[in-house]
Amino acid sequence: ETGVTQTPRHLVMGMTNKKSLKCEQHLGHNAMYWYKQSAKKPLELMFVYNFKEQTENNSVPSRFSPECPNSSHLFLHLHTLQPEDSALYLCASSQEGGGGALEQFFGPGTRLTVL
Amino acid sequence: QQQVKQSPQSLIVQKGGISIINCAYENTAFDYFPWYQQFPGKGPALLIAIRPDVSEKKEGRFTISFNKSAKQFSLHIMDSQPGDSATYFCAASTRDYKLSFGAGTTVTVRA
């Protein structure tokens, strides 16, 4: 295991539902990320949190709302999603420091299906 | 706009053969080039990475070749094994730690 856990692993929701994805990292890292992975497409960076502060929002629709209560936990709140939002949502963490990018550790992802 | 272009989309190789995956980028500010390996049902995991100050890095059967002038880098998997069957992603980042990923290559190693 990578030290990054995600729940639930699978989620099916209707377009009018509200649900949340949870990510927890046990690595003592100071940065956490949400990515969207669709088939045959590059991983899309959605949000970045550094020391609990959001430092990146990659033009993500407002129906996705992230929350980072502390450096170990990250949530992605979902509401009124569209079928095209169906994808694998990956959480990652890293220890950021001087000198450039460091390794990101990924969780196993949540497979989301929007009906 | 896709910042890192990866090819091929998929490849099949016989056990013991060489798998080669290529990536190209445009942003000359990229200074970190990792390769991630992803098995079904798992998240991507770092396989090997290179900085632009070297032209080649080898770890076991995996080698990155880097051509700074051509803005290209590639992953070579020597003596491919069935356990190497996975999806491989190249990526690149500048010093802001945000990775730009390629679209992935699904490698199938036939026994």
Side-chain angles (χ1 to χ4, degrees):
Chain A
E1 298 303 323
T2 63
V4 181
T5 58
Q6 290 187 243
T7 55
R9 294 293 309 274
H10 301 272
L11 178 63
V12 179
M13 58 186 290
M15 289 191 286
T16 58
N17 290 159
K18 291 184 180 181
K19 296 287 184 183
S20 295
L21 310 184
K22 179 183 176 182
C23 175
E24 183 173 1
Q25 59 98 358
H26 309 272
L27 302 169
H29 288 163
N30 57 16
M32 297 187 76
Y33 312 76
W34 279 117
Y35 287 89
K36 177 183 179 182
Q37 184 175 28
S38 304
K40 305 285 193 290
K41 294 176 69 175
L43 274 72
E44 300 173 48
L45 179 64
M46 300 174 71
F47 301 103
V48 180
Y49 277 82
N50 195 321
F51 290 104
K52 303 185 298 177
E53 299 297 321
Q54 187 181 124
T55 57
E56 182 85 7
N57 176 336
N58 241 8
S59 303
V60 179
S62 59
R63 57 186 183 269
F64 295 90
S65 175
E67 178 190 1
C68 189
N70 55 61
S71 58
S72 298
H73 293 85
L74 186 63
F75 295 88
L76 188 62
H77 303 299
L78 317 170
H79 64 97
T80 58
L81 294 190
Q82 305 298 310
E84 60 264 29
D85 297 323
S86 298
L88 182 69
Y89 288 85
L90 292 162
C91 173
S93 71
S94 71
Q95 182 61 30
E96 294 194 3
L102 298 173
E103 179 179 358
Q104 292 185 20
F105 292 78
F106 285 83
T110 295
R111 174 67 63 185
L112 174 67
T113 303
V114 182
L115 301 176
Chain B
Q1 182 183 358
Q2 191 172 332
Q3 297 203 58
V4 180
K5 295 185 178 180
Q6 183 172 348
S7 63
Q9 191 174 90
S10 63
L11 68 90
I12 299 173
V13 62
Q14 292 296 121
K15 180 181 175 182
I18 302 173
S19 304
I20 301 175
I21 306 169
N22 300 299
C23 287
Y25 64 97
E26 288 297 325
N27 187 348
T28 55
F30 285 146
D31 74 342
Y32 175 68
F33 301 88
W35 285 87
Y36 279 78
Q37 180 188 54
Q38 185 177 25
F39 293 105
K42 305 282 188 181
L46 181 66
L47 182 65
I48 185 174
I50 198 169
R51 297 232 184 238
D53 52 344
V54 297
S55 61
E56 185 175 283
K57 183 174 182 180
K58 184 176 181 179
E59 290 185 3
R61 297 183 292 105
F62 300 90
T63 300
I64 299 178
S65 297
F66 186 82
N67 187 330
K68 189 174 181 178
S69 60
K71 292 184 285 186
Q72 295 176 346
F73 58 111
S74 61
L75 177 70
H76 291 63
I77 306 174
M78 313 299 288
D79 186 26
S80 296
Q81 299 297 311
D84 297 331
S85 296
T87 300
Y88 294 81
F89 295 92
C90 62
S93 81
T94 58
R95 290 183 175 269
D96 61 1
Y97 317 121
K98 291 187 289 288
L99 290 169
S100 295
F101 283 86
T105 298
T106 300
V107 174
T108 302
V109 181
R110 294 249 168 93

